[in-house]
Amino acid sequence: MESTWLVLVSLALGLAVGAGFVTLLHVAERHGRRAAEVVNPAVPDGIDQVLDALESAGAVLDPSNNVIKASPAAVSMGLVWNQQLVHPELLELARRVRRSGDAVSENLILSRGPFNDASMRVRVRLARLGTRYVLILAEDRTEAFRLDEVRRDFVANISHELKTPIAAVGLLAEALDQAADEPVQVRRFANRLTTESGRLTRLTQEIIELSRLQAQDSLSEAERLNVDAVVSAAVDQSRVVADAARITIAVGKKSGAEVSGDERLLVMAVHNLVANAVHYSPEGSRVGVGVRRHDGVVEITVTDQGVGIAEADLERIFERFFRVDQARSRHTGGTGLGLSIVKHIVQIHGGDIRVWSQPGSGSTFTIRLPEAPYPAPATTGEAP
């Protein structure tokens, strides 16, 4: 009888131990699964594909603010590094979304990287994704803000620059009316009126040209051009003014170089450089224009013996309406747009422009353009 009870007790004890062991195994498995979810959480279905397809930046945060999924744009913009959000402003917005449960949208100015002072303007939107995650979407609007600032500055500069010649035309017209019985005064005022109207016309034309150039990133139609012919046409436009000031324009030997581009625009660019060289050169001096080709690059160089440009002004000379010598520029009818137009023309031709200058030693401007490739030899289609 005792042995029967012992068997039953042993059996019960075994079942209890077995049940406890199985229970421990289930608890351990559940804890392990939770730990695995924390270490390697999975985003809700479909979010991976959505983030990969986004052109804007996107990222998903877990409850510990770890980035469990980020789009390529989020990494390239510098928002995410090493599975963490880089900017504390975004972390603060994520905490706000978790507290309130409501989506938020903000315009932020964020640093572009840890090693420089560059910043970017970003439009961000954060919202809860299920019960555990937060979704961040960010759009880089830096370029849009820059273009808006450029537009505002351009409009302000135009208003300022047009004010002077328009006011002058009005005053001269009034003076003409009052001096109607004095032929000498009428001729003097008429000459000044012609000068101011010509300046206003040039300014208007250059504003229109610059606006057109800024609206295009590349040439819609390009043709093969002889650079020597372009230079010759540009120099011819400045011959009369140069001869009046006894300034010699010396053109170097033929180069035979060719580029792909718009002839009218390239002639305008070279002419602007030659005209500047003539305007800022003393009487009886010399302006040199040369072309050379090397390593697939065509260089058009314009050198003068003028007053030169101070080092502090070299970085700004290609800005719209910037003048090195305000008094002389207004006396010669300069608009401050010539070099800006040159820069844009060269850029849409795939080139760049460089300047060397020292006060009292003159200046050298160099346009660098890619040389047009040699055409492939024609084939007759006959077997050799």
Side-chain angles (χ1 to χ4, degrees):
M1 187 67 178
E2 292 182 2
S3 60
T4 302
W5 279 105
L6 287 175
V7 170
L8 292 174
V9 170
S10 299
L11 182 59
L13 183 60
L15 290 173
V17 171
F21 185 70
V22 170
T23 301
L24 287 175
L25 285 177
H26 281 294
V27 171
E29 182 183 2
R30 187 163 57 251
H31 280 288
R33 188 165 54 249
R34 289 178 180 175
E37 290 177 355
V38 171
V39 174
N40 188 24
V43 296
D45 291 341
I47 295 299
D48 282 1
Q49 292 80 0
V50 171
L51 290 180
D52 289 338
L54 284 176
E55 291 185 2
S56 56
V60 177
L61 300 183
D62 69 5
S64 300
N65 284 333
N66 296 309
V67 177
I68 59 175
K69 180 64 180 178
S71 68
V75 178
S76 63
M77 284 174 60
L79 302 180
V80 174
W81 183 79
N82 198 23
Q83 298 302 109
Q84 297 291 326
L85 284 180
V86 173
H87 302 90
E89 298 93 333
L90 296 179
L91 291 173
E92 177 58 33
L93 289 177
R95 283 191 284 269
R96 192 199 307 179
V97 169
R98 287 196 180 93
R99 286 195 301 267
S100 66
D102 298 327
V104 297
S105 296
E106 295 280 348
N107 290 315
L108 302 175
I109 300 178
L110 305 176
S111 61
R112 192 170 286 278
F115 307 118
N116 56 51
D117 297 328
S119 61
M120 56 183 173
R121 293 180 176 269
V122 181
R123 175 71 175 176
V124 296
R125 180 171 177 80
L126 291 82
R128 294 184 68 92
L129 191 63
T131 58
R132 305 187 59 221
Y133 305 106
V134 172
L135 174 65
I136 300 176
L137 298 176
E139 179 184 1
D140 188 352
R141 305 186 65 185
T142 306
E143 186 65 12
F145 274 91
R146 187 191 69 81
L147 291 176
D148 191 49
E149 290 177 355
V150 168
R151 180 187 58 80
R152 287 198 303 268
D153 291 344
F154 195 31
V155 171
N157 286 332
I158 289 174
S159 301
H160 175 75
E161 293 296 328
L162 289 176
K163 186 185 303 181
T164 301
I166 289 175
V169 168
L171 290 174
L172 288 170
E174 183 179 342
L176 275 173
D177 181 60
Q178 295 177 355
D181 298 329
E182 302 178 37
V184 176
Q185 290 289 71
V186 167
R187 283 194 296 271
R188 186 167 71 89
F189 288 141
N191 288 334
R192 290 185 58 187
L193 185 60
T194 301
T195 300
E196 290 298 332
S197 63
R199 179 181 166 199
L200 185 59
T201 299
R202 287 193 300 274
L203 180 58
T204 304
Q205 289 174 341
E206 291 190 354
I207 288 172
I208 294 172
E209 191 64 49
L210 183 58
S211 299
R212 183 183 297 117
L213 290 170
Q214 289 178 323
Q216 63 183 103
D217 296 326
S218 59
L219 295 173
S220 56
E221 294 183 6
E223 55 182 340
R224 197 178 188 90
L225 303 175
N226 183 293
V227 178
D228 298 321
V230 168
V231 169
S232 178
V235 169
D236 286 344
Q237 295 180 15
S238 295
R239 289 285 188 192
V240 174
V241 176
D243 291 343
R246 296 185 295 107
I247 295 174
T248 302
I249 302 179
V251 181
K253 62 181 182 179
K254 302 292 184 181
S255 66
E258 293 185 330
V259 298
S260 296
D262 185 303
E263 182 176 12
R264 182 186 69 85
L265 292 180
L266 287 180
V267 169
M268 181 190 302
V270 178
H271 167 65
N272 282 355
L273 293 183
V274 175
N276 272 0
V278 171
H279 284 157
Y280 287 95
S281 293
E283 289 190 6
S285 61
R286 172 188 173 100
V287 171
V289 183
V291 179
R292 79 181 186 112
R293 47 195 285 209
H294 66 96
D295 298 332
V297 176
V298 176
E299 294 185 348
I300 306 171
T301 303
V302 179
T303 303
D304 64 57
Q305 298 173 330
V307 295
I309 304 169
E311 184 176 356
D313 293 330
L314 285 176
E315 295 182 357
R316 300 192 58 197
I317 58 173
F318 295 106
E319 293 180 9
R320 296 180 303 276
F321 301 109
F322 179 78
R323 298 181 180 91
V324 174
D325 186 341
Q326 296 282 347
R328 179 167 174 81
S329 293
R330 295 196 182 276
H331 175 70
T332 58
T335 63
L337 290 174
L339 290 179
S340 183
I341 289 175
V342 173
K343 179 181 177 181
H344 279 82
I345 290 175
V346 172
Q347 286 180 336
I348 65 175
H349 280 80
D352 65 4
I353 181 168
R354 302 177 179 182
V355 57
W356 174 92
S357 185
Q358 285 186 347
S361 300
S363 305
T364 298
F365 287 83
T366 303
I367 293 175
R368 302 173 72 249
L369 300 170
E371 186 174 11
Y374 288 104
T379 58
T380 61
E382 298 179 358

mmCIF file of all heavy atoms in Angstrom, residues 43 46-60 69-73 135-137:
data_model
loop_
_atom_site.group_PDB
_atom_site.id
_atom_site.type_symbol
_atom_site.label_atom_id
_atom_site.label_comp_id
_atom_site.label_asym_id
_atom_site.label_seq_id
_atom_site.Cartn_x
_atom_site.Cartn_y
_atom_site.Cartn_z
ATOM 1 N N VAL A 43 9.207 46.922 -39.006
ATOM 2 C CA VAL A 43 8.250 47.983 -39.279
ATOM 3 C C VAL A 43 6.969 47.364 -39.806
ATOM 4 O O VAL A 43 6.970 46.232 -40.307
ATOM 5 C CB VAL A 43 8.816 48.978 -40.297
ATOM 6 C CG1 VAL A 43 10.032 49.669 -39.741
ATOM 7 C CG2 VAL A 43 9.146 48.289 -41.601
ATOM 8 N N GLY A 46 4.534 47.048 -45.541
ATOM 9 C CA GLY A 46 4.427 48.045 -46.596
ATOM 10 C C GLY A 46 5.255 49.291 -46.381
ATOM 11 O O GLY A 46 5.517 50.041 -47.328
ATOM 12 N N ILE A 47 5.708 49.566 -45.149
ATOM 13 C CA ILE A 47 6.459 50.792 -44.886
ATOM 14 C C ILE A 47 7.828 50.750 -45.563
ATOM 15 O O ILE A 47 8.314 51.758 -46.075
ATOM 16 C CB ILE A 47 6.615 51.016 -43.368
ATOM 17 C CG1 ILE A 47 5.238 51.259 -42.737
ATOM 18 C CG2 ILE A 47 7.535 52.184 -43.092
ATOM 19 C CD1 ILE A 47 4.530 52.479 -43.292
ATOM 20 N N ASP A 48 8.472 49.587 -45.582
ATOM 21 C CA ASP A 48 9.770 49.459 -46.257
ATOM 22 C C ASP A 48 9.675 49.919 -47.712
ATOM 23 O O ASP A 48 10.491 50.715 -48.191
ATOM 24 C CB ASP A 48 10.251 48.005 -46.216
ATOM 25 C CG ASP A 48 10.821 47.650 -44.860
ATOM 26 O OD1 ASP A 48 10.803 48.523 -43.985
ATOM 27 O OD2 ASP A 48 11.259 46.500 -44.694
ATOM 28 N N GLN A 49 8.660 49.410 -48.408
ATOM 29 C CA GLN A 49 8.511 49.746 -49.823
ATOM 30 C C GLN A 49 8.186 51.222 -50.021
ATOM 31 O O GLN A 49 8.678 51.852 -50.953
ATOM 32 C CB GLN A 49 7.409 48.896 -50.455
ATOM 33 C CG GLN A 49 7.735 47.409 -50.573
ATOM 34 C CD GLN A 49 7.520 46.659 -49.267
ATOM 35 O OE1 GLN A 49 7.126 47.249 -48.262
ATOM 36 N NE2 GLN A 49 7.759 45.357 -49.303
ATOM 37 N N VAL A 50 7.378 51.788 -49.120
ATOM 38 C CA VAL A 50 7.020 53.205 -49.236
ATOM 39 C C VAL A 50 8.249 54.080 -49.048
ATOM 40 O O VAL A 50 8.492 55.020 -49.823
ATOM 41 C CB VAL A 50 5.930 53.565 -48.214
ATOM 42 C CG1 VAL A 50 5.705 55.084 -48.178
ATOM 43 C CG2 VAL A 50 4.630 52.855 -48.548
ATOM 44 N N LEU A 51 9.057 53.803 -48.029
ATOM 45 C CA LEU A 51 10.251 54.617 -47.781
ATOM 46 C C LEU A 51 11.253 54.505 -48.919
ATOM 47 O O LEU A 51 11.899 55.488 -49.285
ATOM 48 C CB LEU A 51 10.907 54.202 -46.458
ATOM 49 C CG LEU A 51 10.130 54.554 -45.180
ATOM 50 C CD1 LEU A 51 10.897 54.091 -43.952
ATOM 51 C CD2 LEU A 51 9.874 56.046 -45.103
ATOM 52 N N ASP A 52 11.389 53.311 -49.466
ATOM 53 C CA ASP A 52 12.329 53.134 -50.579
ATOM 54 C C ASP A 52 11.894 53.897 -51.823
ATOM 55 O O ASP A 52 12.722 54.298 -52.642
ATOM 56 C CB ASP A 52 12.477 51.644 -50.916
ATOM 57 C CG ASP A 52 13.245 50.887 -49.845
ATOM 58 O OD1 ASP A 52 14.003 51.554 -49.103
ATOM 59 O OD2 ASP A 52 13.079 49.661 -49.746
ATOM 60 N N ALA A 53 10.579 54.097 -51.967
ATOM 61 C CA ALA A 53 10.065 54.776 -53.159
ATOM 62 C C ALA A 53 10.028 56.288 -53.002
ATOM 63 O O ALA A 53 9.860 56.998 -53.991
ATOM 64 C CB ALA A 53 8.665 54.264 -53.486
ATOM 65 N N LEU A 54 10.193 56.805 -51.774
ATOM 66 C CA LEU A 54 10.092 58.242 -51.554
ATOM 67 C C LEU A 54 11.287 58.988 -52.136
ATOM 68 O O LEU A 54 12.432 58.567 -51.991
ATOM 69 C CB LEU A 54 10.018 58.538 -50.047
ATOM 70 C CG LEU A 54 8.691 58.279 -49.332
ATOM 71 C CD1 LEU A 54 8.858 58.544 -47.845
ATOM 72 C CD2 LEU A 54 7.593 59.163 -49.903
ATOM 73 N N GLU A 55 11.010 60.127 -52.797
ATOM 74 C CA GLU A 55 12.083 61.025 -53.211
ATOM 75 C C GLU A 55 12.514 61.896 -52.035
ATOM 76 O O GLU A 55 13.684 62.269 -51.931
ATOM 77 C CB GLU A 55 11.627 61.909 -54.375
ATOM 78 C CG GLU A 55 11.413 61.150 -55.679
ATOM 79 C CD GLU A 55 11.075 62.083 -56.822
ATOM 80 O OE1 GLU A 55 11.050 63.315 -56.581
ATOM 81 O OE2 GLU A 55 10.846 61.596 -57.941
ATOM 82 N N SER A 56 11.586 62.246 -51.162
ATOM 83 C CA SER A 56 11.930 62.992 -49.963
ATOM 84 C C SER A 56 12.466 62.030 -48.909
ATOM 85 O O SER A 56 12.409 60.812 -49.066
ATOM 86 C CB SER A 56 10.701 63.738 -49.428
ATOM 87 O OG SER A 56 9.645 62.837 -49.191
ATOM 88 N N ALA A 57 12.995 62.589 -47.840
ATOM 89 C CA ALA A 57 13.582 61.770 -46.785
ATOM 90 C C ALA A 57 12.496 61.225 -45.866
ATOM 91 O O ALA A 57 11.515 61.911 -45.558
ATOM 92 C CB ALA A 57 14.583 62.593 -45.977
ATOM 93 N N GLY A 58 12.669 59.985 -45.425
ATOM 94 C CA GLY A 58 11.719 59.369 -44.508
ATOM 95 C C GLY A 58 12.424 58.431 -43.555
ATOM 96 O O GLY A 58 13.431 57.817 -43.901
ATOM 97 N N ALA A 59 11.899 58.324 -42.335
ATOM 98 C CA ALA A 59 12.492 57.432 -41.336
ATOM 99 C C ALA A 59 11.415 57.006 -40.351
ATOM 100 O O ALA A 59 10.417 57.713 -40.152
ATOM 101 C CB ALA A 59 13.643 58.112 -40.598
ATOM 102 N N VAL A 60 11.607 55.827 -39.732
ATOM 103 C CA VAL A 60 10.694 55.299 -38.730
ATOM 104 C C VAL A 60 11.458 55.117 -37.433
ATOM 105 O O VAL A 60 12.536 54.502 -37.404
ATOM 106 C CB VAL A 60 10.089 53.948 -39.183
ATOM 107 C CG1 VAL A 60 9.194 53.386 -38.084
ATOM 108 C CG2 VAL A 60 9.297 54.116 -40.481
ATOM 109 N N LYS A 69 14.187 52.120 -39.734
ATOM 110 C CA LYS A 69 14.144 52.135 -41.190
ATOM 111 C C LYS A 69 14.313 53.571 -41.658
ATOM 112 O O LYS A 69 13.710 54.490 -41.090
ATOM 113 C CB LYS A 69 12.808 51.569 -41.708
ATOM 114 C CG LYS A 69 12.691 51.555 -43.219
ATOM 115 C CD LYS A 69 13.714 50.644 -43.870
ATOM 116 C CE LYS A 69 13.591 50.640 -45.376
ATOM 117 N NZ LYS A 69 14.608 49.784 -46.030
ATOM 118 N N ALA A 70 15.165 53.787 -42.669
ATOM 119 C CA ALA A 70 15.388 55.123 -43.212
ATOM 120 C C ALA A 70 15.507 55.034 -44.723
ATOM 121 O O ALA A 70 16.090 54.084 -45.256
ATOM 122 C CB ALA A 70 16.642 55.754 -42.612
ATOM 123 N N SER A 71 14.976 56.012 -45.401
ATOM 124 C CA SER A 71 15.103 56.063 -46.854
ATOM 125 C C SER A 71 16.504 56.541 -47.222
ATOM 126 O O SER A 71 17.189 57.165 -46.407
ATOM 127 C CB SER A 71 14.061 57.022 -47.445
ATOM 128 O OG SER A 71 14.364 58.357 -47.082
ATOM 129 N N PRO A 72 16.959 56.259 -48.450
ATOM 130 C CA PRO A 72 18.296 56.727 -48.863
ATOM 131 C C PRO A 72 18.447 58.235 -48.748
ATOM 132 O O PRO A 72 19.524 58.733 -48.397
ATOM 133 C CB PRO A 72 18.380 56.264 -50.321
ATOM 134 C CG PRO A 72 17.457 55.082 -50.409
ATOM 135 C CD PRO A 72 16.335 55.395 -49.479
ATOM 136 N N ALA A 73 17.377 59.000 -49.019
ATOM 137 C CA ALA A 73 17.460 60.453 -48.945
ATOM 138 C C ALA A 73 17.714 60.933 -47.519
ATOM 139 O O ALA A 73 18.404 61.928 -47.300
ATOM 140 C CB ALA A 73 16.181 61.089 -49.491
ATOM 141 N N LEU A 135 6.615 58.085 -37.571
ATOM 142 C CA LEU A 135 7.078 58.274 -38.942
ATOM 143 C C LEU A 135 7.513 59.719 -39.136
ATOM 144 O O LEU A 135 6.787 60.650 -38.766
ATOM 145 C CB LEU A 135 5.952 57.931 -39.928
ATOM 146 C CG LEU A 135 6.239 58.210 -41.415
ATOM 147 C CD1 LEU A 135 7.364 57.325 -41.933
ATOM 148 C CD2 LEU A 135 4.971 58.039 -42.247
ATOM 149 N N ILE A 136 8.714 59.913 -39.728
ATOM 150 C CA ILE A 136 9.244 61.245 -40.032
ATOM 151 C C ILE A 136 9.392 61.376 -41.540
ATOM 152 O O ILE A 136 10.019 60.529 -42.185
ATOM 153 C CB ILE A 136 10.613 61.472 -39.367
ATOM 154 C CG1 ILE A 136 10.501 61.347 -37.847
ATOM 155 C CG2 ILE A 136 11.174 62.837 -39.746
ATOM 156 C CD1 ILE A 136 11.846 61.479 -37.142
ATOM 157 N N LEU A 137 8.826 62.444 -42.095
ATOM 158 C CA LEU A 137 9.005 62.780 -43.500
ATOM 159 C C LEU A 137 9.628 64.166 -43.580
ATOM 160 O O LEU A 137 9.200 65.088 -42.880
ATOM 161 C CB LEU A 137 7.674 62.760 -44.250
ATOM 162 C CG LEU A 137 6.932 61.420 -44.303
ATOM 163 C CD1 LEU A 137 5.590 61.583 -44.996
ATOM 164 C CD2 LEU A 137 7.775 60.373 -45.023
#
